[in-house]
Amino acid sequence: MVEDKSSQAVIFSARALTKTYLMGEVEIHALRGVDIDLYAGEFVVLLGASGSGKSTLFNILGGLDSATSGDVRYQNRLLTGISDRELTLFRRSHVGFVFQFYNLIPSLTARENIAIVTEIADNPMTPEEALERVGLGNRLDHLPAQLSGGEQQRVAIARAIAKRPAVLLCDEPTGALDSKTGIRVLEVLQQINQELGTTTAVITHNEVIGEMADRIIRLSDGKIASIHGNAQRKAPKELFW
Amino acid sequence: MNTVLTHKVLTYKILRESKSMLGQLIAIALVIAAGVMVLVISVSTRQSIEQSQQHFYQQYHFADVFVEVTRAPDDLIRTIRQLPGVNVAETRIRAGARFQLEGPVNGFSNRFADVGSKSFAEPIQGEIISLPERSPELLNRLHYLVGGPPQLGSQLEVVVSAPFAHAHQLSVGDSISAVLNGRLQRLTISGVALSPEYIYQLSPNSILPDYERFGVFWMNRQALASAFDMDGAFNSLSVTVQHNASRDDVMLQLDNILRRYGSRGSYDRHEQISHRFISEELSQLRVMAIVLPTIFIGVAAFLLQVLLTRVIHTQKQSIALLKAFGYSSWQIIRHYLQLTNIILVLGIGGGIALGLLVAEPMAQMYAMYFHFPEFLFALQRDALVTAILITSAVGYAATIRATAHAANMAPAEAMRPPTPARYQRTWLDHPRIAHWWQQPTRIMLRNIRRHPWRASVSVVGIGLSGGLLLLGSYQFNAIDHMLDQQYRQHYRMDLEVTFNQERPQHSLSTLRAIPGVSYVEGFRQVPVILTHERKQWRLALHGLPRESRLRQVGTSSQPLPTAGVVLSRYLADDLSIQPGENVSVTLLDGRQQSLTLTVAAVIDEPMGLGLYMDFDHLNRLLLADQTVTGAWLLVEPDRQAEVFRQLQAMPAVASIGQISRAEAEIRTYINNTVLGVMTVMFLLAGSMTFAVVYNNARIMFAERARELASLRVLGFKKSEVAYILFGELGILVVLAIPLAWAIGVTFAWLLTTAMSMDLFRIPFVLSPISFAISALGVLLAAALSMLLMLRRVWQLDMIQALKTE
């Protein structure tokens, strides 16, 4: 049962997307014909087991990887087949990434880790503002090693949103965190989604997180298994795992 | 869009990361520094000497052409000055004389002289030259360090050459006795001076200066004219040639005019002793300034490219991340170029600083042998710019290539854990062999096999630096071998005595009669010009007994041929002459007789320019009856002092040369000059070897940290993990050693071929010690690197390494 979203603008649309790559001598079919639309301002959770192809899909949508076949459109612009330079500009202006292992640059402070993005963005918020939004206004000059895992992930979120992206792509953002810290991170994501209207896609294998989403998309074996909307979204603090 | 060119944050990133990789960066910088330093040292030493020489020549009017005659009338100068092409001409009187010093001599430790008297009792040979009385010299002017020329009309004042004055601590007002044309005179020193003619002060027929036993002296023209019966006459002429005139034409005209006055043939600067030796030294330095920096900068460039490529390779994840954020490839490349800049600044700056630090004392060391009024220290900008351009270009190219490679990967691909490598089973995995290996060994061997290209690049890198080590130590051993050959094989006498004039052979019995002298052999030396086709050499023709016991010619102890001359290979090669061909020999003993002689044999001699002939044959050619000009003596070791004293008392003895002292002197000279440079090279090669091996270890560790941490998680002991890492390094190092030998031998051959000159030819002789030093240097560098790496292996953070991608 798919909720009618036709009133909202489609921000991402993928058609017949496939991806195969070689892992040593094994050919991996990560995606086997995926059709998907993401709408402006929605909070989507992509659920799937390990190896279901969710990270691959995420990488292709975010312009980190290219598809073997099929089309990806972002706001009606074709992303497949465009040059590396255009893809770079696309990432620079439109997409924010949050990774499972934060991927902060250990040699830079929280503020500088954000500045690394704001320095090349068009209309960014200040690093201070970004950190304020994730509740870390008092940790500006801490190096990653001086922050807890949850704090590091919030810095990573601040870094992702500082350029005011249209889309926030989060790959297992709570995967390396305990549930309490994880919920704090989800609260921040929801707050950003609501305050800035950023389309947010969260990849996870944690079913519970789906309960806070507008839509839940399940992937299995490189294909979309199901898409369904949430009639009643839960607040992150109501979640438990 | 925000298009800031410099990203401040990225600069912080690079600076902080550089701090954590400081050891590694310094090691890479060291490699560049070594190359640049070698260049600075060799180029600036040569340049300094050359500039000081040119400056001295210009300021003090060093002549272009020289002629020695027996006696020519002063009036002739008018004719000479009017010859086309002649710019300035000046006549003078020049003669050999014997000097004697009385009074204490400080700092002199010769054991012969220590006996009995404190004064310098040995005979001193001197060259005495006239000074014009009413005006300063036109040519070959003196630079007075102390005092000035003799007073007008003074018959008893003398100017002494500075090296001689320094050796004996003489100054203005001190006195010295001279035997001028057989008459003993006591002279007072009026000045101590340097002359452009004697920058390298050498007595005739020796190859090394002896400041105690040979000096140059200047007196008023009138005083010398009366002493040598040269009133209204001259026996030496100096000429400068006009800019656009042909020097050969001027020389031809001078020879025509002066032939009937007993001319020994005009010669230009190239045959002037001091000039020739400086030229020799300069050409040697020129070779070193080309060959050594080329080798060092070439090696440094290769290592720089290897090391940078691998350092950047370990940053693959960071590059992918920046890429994911939307940084363009070019922005990322520029970011890593900053890292390269840090290395280049450290390396080039360090190289120049160290080079300047060493170059100045190095150049000063040469200044001990070359006496200039002022030593101009120079640093050649062109060479420096070239070195900077080459190293920077290589550094930038390597950075751009390595970064672009990582940046052009799709970020997701770069962030993905490396795909497991494809393995193929090889003979190493055959069950019969495989059971020899424990798992760690298997991992180690497969790591090497998995990256054959990377392993070979490491091996070549270590091999190159090890090759430089061999080159460094080769010089020491080769020179040692050369001196041993010269002084054990060719020169077997204890003393060489020369007479102040030709003497009949039977007079040698006087020498034989000296108690303590066990054996005497006479020889005859004649100054000649050797000509073949268009090339000519001024040197001494040595007539020695056919079966000399004290002087072996060539490597075998075969007797000299009864007819014809024997040439050293260096001379034969230069004249392009083969045995059996004819060579023209012009005698310069006043008679200007030209002989055509057959080259009977060509022999290998490491030092000097050898031209030999059977003593009897030479005497027959000279129509002289068994005449000698000197003798070689064997002396009973415990009676040397006595023999020495007796020889000094003989009026016929002009000089006494002690072979062991000559050997010591030449060793000092070589130690101070060539080996000075080589010591620096050797230390640099050592540091380079360490830098390369240490960097290899660091990069290997960075590449394997995850794998090694995983092994620790699986229960491997720290020592087992260390074994995998160090074992791999060890195998590479062991493979690199034979390569280092091969590379080192090639370098040594290149240098030897390039550095062959009049004074000595370094033989291409490789001692096992050189091979051992090269191997030990590489092994030591490996051991030291491992020791430094041990801490990292011990503190390997299992959790962190597994968590962070």
Side-chain angles (χ1 to χ4, degrees), chain B residues 479-489 663 667:
Chain B
I479 289 178
D480 224 40
H481 180 271
M482 172 185 82
L483 294 175
D484 283 352
Q485 203 186 340
Q486 182 81 355
Y487 289 103
R488 307 282 167 272
Q489 206 175 341
E663 183 186 348
R667 278 185 198 271

Side-chain angles (χ1 to χ4, degrees), chain B residues 11 16 27 95 97 188-189 209 246 339 353 370-371 416 434 443 464 492 496-497 514 522 526 579 607 635 659 682 745:
Chain B
T11 309
R16 292 208 191 116
T188 308
I189 295 171
S246 150
L339 182 74
F370 299 138
H371 302 276
R416 204 176 290 144
I443 295 172
L464 279 169
R492 296 175 177 180
E496 181 179 276
V497 171
I514 298 173
V526 193
M607 294 171 75
V635 176
I659 299 307
F682 186 68
V745 169

Side-chain angles (χ1 to χ4, degrees), chain B residues 313-347:
Chain B
H313 193 74
T314 61
Q315 297 257 329
K316 212 172 83 175
Q317 301 282 337
S318 298
I319 293 172
L321 196 64
L322 290 173
K323 200 85 204 287
F325 293 157
Y327 277 87
S328 69
S329 296
W330 176 233
Q331 280 173 318
I332 298 171
I333 288 172
R334 254 196 348 238
H335 172 58
Y336 282 95
L337 284 178
Q338 284 182 299
L339 182 74
T340 313
N341 278 335
I342 295 176
I343 297 173
L344 287 173
V345 167
L346 279 177

Side-chain angles (χ1 to χ4, degrees), chain B residues 99-295:
Chain B
F99 292 80
Q100 198 86 45
L101 264 179
E102 284 114 44
V105 175
N106 296 324
F108 179 66
S109 59
N110 186 289
R111 57 185 163 137
F112 296 129
D114 281 346
V115 184
S117 157
K118 282 251 170 167
S119 67
F120 194 77
E122 289 178 56
I124 296 163
Q125 267 188 297
E127 182 133 353
I128 193 151
I129 299 169
S130 69
L131 290 173
E133 275 176 74
R134 293 181 192 281
S135 58
E137 315 84 87
L138 296 174
L139 297 175
N140 310 318
R141 286 190 182 167
L142 296 186
H143 170 85
Y144 290 94
L145 296 177
V146 194
Q151 285 185 345
L152 186 62
S154 165
Q155 300 270 337
L156 297 172
E157 279 185 306
V158 68
V159 177
V160 300
S161 61
F164 178 80
H166 292 157
H168 294 287
Q169 309 219 326
L170 296 173
S171 194
V172 173
D174 290 339
S175 59
I176 184 166
S177 303
V179 183
L180 302 179
N181 209 15
R183 224 178 46 221
L184 185 73
Q185 288 189 339
R186 199 169 173 77
L187 305 173
T188 308
I189 295 171
S190 72
V192 174
L194 291 172
S195 158
E197 264 185 294
Y198 294 94
I199 294 173
Y200 191 75
Q201 182 188 297
L202 205 61
S203 65
N205 294 328
S206 60
I207 55 171
L208 276 176
D210 183 345
Y211 303 140
E212 284 176 328
R213 288 162 200 82
F214 176 77
V216 186
F217 303 82
W218 292 268
M219 284 178 78
N220 275 333
R221 170 93 175 233
Q222 193 46 53
L224 281 188
S226 33
F228 290 93
D229 302 325
M230 282 283 186
D231 277 313
F234 68 92
N235 65 2
S236 170
L237 175 76
S238 314
V239 171
T240 51
V241 178
Q242 282 166 2
H243 267 306
N244 45 6
S246 150
R247 187 176 291 193
D248 290 342
D249 287 350
V250 171
M251 286 165 72
L252 202 68
Q253 296 177 76
L254 289 173
D255 286 344
N256 283 338
I257 294 179
L258 293 168
R259 184 165 293 129
R260 58 195 176 108
Y261 301 104
S263 164
R264 267 149 244 168
S266 58
Y267 57 96
D268 68 1
R269 281 185 186 182
H270 301 294
E271 290 187 83
Q272 201 269 346
I273 290 181
S274 159
H275 182 87
R276 202 177 97 192
F277 270 84
I278 302 172
S279 304
E280 273 279 299
E281 197 65 56
L282 284 174
S283 57
Q284 178 186 332
L285 283 169
R286 197 166 296 129
V287 167
M288 283 169 79
I290 293 168
V291 176
L292 290 177
T294 305
I295 290 178

Side-chain angles (χ1 to χ4, degrees), chain A residues 19-197:
Chain A
K19 175 71 180 178
T20 49
Y21 54 85
L22 277 177
M23 191 80 163
E25 294 182 0
V26 188
E27 196 178 36
I28 305 221
H29 293 271
L31 297 177
R32 302 159 186 268
V34 169
D35 297 322
I36 191 175
D37 290 315
L38 296 186
Y39 300 98
E42 70 168 342
F43 194 113
V44 187
V45 168
L46 273 94
L47 277 172
S50 166
S52 60
K54 53 189 194 304
S55 287
T56 308
L57 178 60
F58 170 99
N59 286 340
I60 293 173
L61 290 180
L64 295 179
D65 209 348
S66 54
T68 309
S69 70
D71 284 348
V72 180
R73 281 170 194 277
Y74 169 78
Q75 294 185 329
N76 256 335
R77 286 207 327 262
L78 198 60
L79 289 187
T80 30
I82 65 170
S83 71
D84 180 65
R85 187 181 145 72
E86 287 172 297
L87 217 48
T88 300
L89 291 177
F90 161 68
R91 288 197 303 269
R92 183 184 293 193
S93 318
H94 303 289
V95 200
F97 293 101
V98 177
F99 304 101
Q100 181 179 2
F101 296 115
Y102 336 131
N103 288 46
L104 297 180
I105 294 174
S107 56
L108 299 180
T109 63
R111 192 205 306 259
E112 291 162 352
N113 258 292
I114 293 161
I116 208 166
V117 170
T118 57
E119 280 189 353
I120 56 165
D122 278 337
N123 177 29
M125 53 182 90
T126 62
E128 292 78 8
E129 186 193 339
L131 281 167
E132 200 60 59
R133 280 185 184 276
V134 299
L136 288 176
N138 55 343
R139 310 290 260 175
L140 289 170
D141 295 317
H142 286 63
L143 285 162
Q146 299 167 312
L147 299 169
S148 71
E151 287 173 324
Q152 287 186 51
Q153 190 60 299
R154 275 146 69 199
V155 174
I157 294 171
R159 182 174 64 182
I161 59 156
K163 62 170 118 164
R164 304 181 199 275
V167 190
L168 193 57
L169 297 176
C170 314
D171 190 354
E172 297 277 9
T174 60
L177 303 171
D178 61 78
S179 71
K180 192 166 158 250
T181 321
I183 283 164
R184 177 81 189 95
V185 166
L186 292 174
E187 277 178 342
V188 172
L189 286 177
Q190 195 187 44
Q191 174 208 334
I192 300 293
N193 173 246
Q194 283 165 0
E195 287 174 9
L196 302 176

